[in-house]
Amino acid sequence: MASLSNGQLAQIVKGLNTVRSAQHRRRAVAAGVFFAYDWMLTLGMEIELIWKAKWTYIKVLYLFQRYLTFYDTFYASYLLMFGKNLSKETCKSLFTQMRVSYLVGIIAAETLCSIRIWAVWNKDRRFFIILPICAICIWGPATAAMASAIVVSQYTDAPYRGFVGCFNTNAKDIHLEYVWACLLAYDAISLVLVMIPGIRIYHQGLIGRSRLSHVVFRDGVIYYITLFLFSLLNIIFSVSLESATRSSLANMGRALHSTLASRVVLHMRDTVHTPRSDYEVAAKHMRASNVHFTRTVHRDDGAVIENVISDDFMHTMHTTTDGSDTL
């Protein structure tokens, strides 16, 4: 069998790289466009409801998970896929930065929504035990799986001048399905924790009488169902597709986490700031219901506290016009 010359090998590698780059380009562009489009749509709300609010840990967490996405989805990912003549050291560094940023950003987004779960459970002290245990048991293995993927990844120097992207030599040994499995488990637990009080309030007829509670539970269910299904798809892709395409949805998954978590916060704050008549609607049904409602509003230092009380359930939402610790 005749051996190929260096020139022929270079042409083969160049052809394969062209196909691979086209596939990566479509996936990267799709995730980037999705995230950037949503960011532009909600920028006005963000400026009004987040940037103008006082500094709290919710605001810090929101901004951190929101804008970290620009770094890994646009900068690190773009260079890893479209940079020219990159050395193997540069490729390894970019891959490490991107994956670490992915995981940290996703954990920050999930934490932001976990705080909301704690709020809808009326800040139940048991969550100080349950949530940290869940976080350690789930995010610990996820971090270990991501670290393993970073350690085993290997790259080679650009095989010819003008080579685009990074050439990974052992993609089949990188297994991110374990990370997605951890995300799936966390989202499943969170979905259950959101639905339990949501179903209870629904049966008591309170959701239709409070726009805030309606938004909180609606967004929570949509958020966790969407991410649960997306994590499931990533697992299926990771175990069934070829190594070159098994991470097809990774960028989109990262963008989805940040986008949905941000919208959850923005929708709640927007509902609080928008004039509402839910109390008047509830008042019309007081005589036809055995549920007793009280509403107390305090505007000392801009604080607004809304209480909806029933015979066997107390649902309290604490909000502030500048963004409270739970919103």
Side-chain angles (χ1 to χ4, degrees), residues 99-121:
R99 293 308 180 191
V100 170
S101 182
Y102 270 21
L103 186 61
V104 171
I106 288 175
I107 291 176
E110 293 281 8
T111 301
L112 191 62
C113 291
S114 295
I115 294 173
R116 193 273 315 278
I117 295 176
W118 176 52
V120 301
W121 277 82

Side-chain angles (χ1 to χ4, degrees), residues 213-228:
S213 61
H214 175 76
V215 168
V216 167
F217 291 109
R218 179 202 65 191
D219 286 3
V221 171
I222 292 175
Y223 176 90
Y224 287 115
I225 288 179
T226 301
L227 293 182
F228 178 88

Side-chain angles (χ1 to χ4, degrees), residues 56-243:
T56 64
Y57 67 89
I58 291 294
K59 179 176 178 177
V60 172
L61 194 58
Y62 173 94
L63 294 175
F64 175 75
Q65 63 85 29
R66 184 65 157 172
Y67 287 92
L68 184 64
T69 313
F70 281 98
Y71 174 78
D72 52 57
T73 302
F74 290 95
Y75 176 74
S77 179
Y78 179 85
L79 287 180
L80 189 67
M81 295 179 185
F82 308 123
K84 289 186 177 181
N85 304 316
L86 300 177
S87 66
K88 59 183 179 182
E89 291 81 12
T90 300
C91 289
K92 179 77 171 185
S93 175
L94 287 172
F95 179 80
T96 301
Q97 293 175 45
M98 184 175 68
R99 293 308 180 191
V100 170
S101 182
Y102 270 21
L103 186 61
V104 171
I106 288 175
I107 291 176
E110 293 281 8
T111 301
L112 191 62
C113 291
S114 295
I115 294 173
R116 193 273 315 278
I117 295 176
W118 176 52
V120 301
W121 277 82
N122 294 326
K123 299 183 178 180
D124 194 320
R125 293 183 179 275
R126 289 174 294 181
F127 275 79
F128 281 107
I129 300 175
I130 296 175
L131 288 181
I133 291 177
C134 289
I136 293 173
C137 293
I138 294 176
W139 295 123
T143 302
M146 185 65 80
S148 175
I150 292 172
V151 170
V152 302
S153 64
Q154 296 179 5
Y155 292 88
T156 185
D157 293 326
Y160 59 87
R161 185 170 181 79
F163 184 84
V164 178
C166 291
F167 198 85
N168 184 271
T169 58
N170 67 333
K172 61 182 178 62
D173 297 326
I174 300 176
H175 298 282
L176 295 177
E177 60 267 25
Y178 303 117
V179 177
W180 294 112
C182 292
L183 284 173
L184 184 144
Y186 194 87
D187 290 332
I189 294 173
S190 299
L191 177 61
V192 172
L193 292 176
V194 168
M195 292 185 68
I196 290 175
I199 292 173
R200 182 168 53 182
I201 293 176
Y202 173 79
H203 284 307
Q204 292 183 343
L206 298 181
I207 287 184
R209 297 168 181 171
S210 172
R211 286 197 302 160
L212 180 57
S213 61
H214 175 76
V215 168
V216 167
F217 291 109
R218 179 202 65 191
D219 286 3
V221 171
I222 292 175
Y223 176 90
Y224 287 115
I225 288 179
T226 301
L227 293 182
F228 178 88
L229 294 176
F230 210 82
S231 296
L232 184 61
L233 282 176
N234 270 290
I235 294 174
I236 295 174
F237 277 34
S238 296
V239 300
S240 61
L241 297 182
E242 296 181 356
S243 57

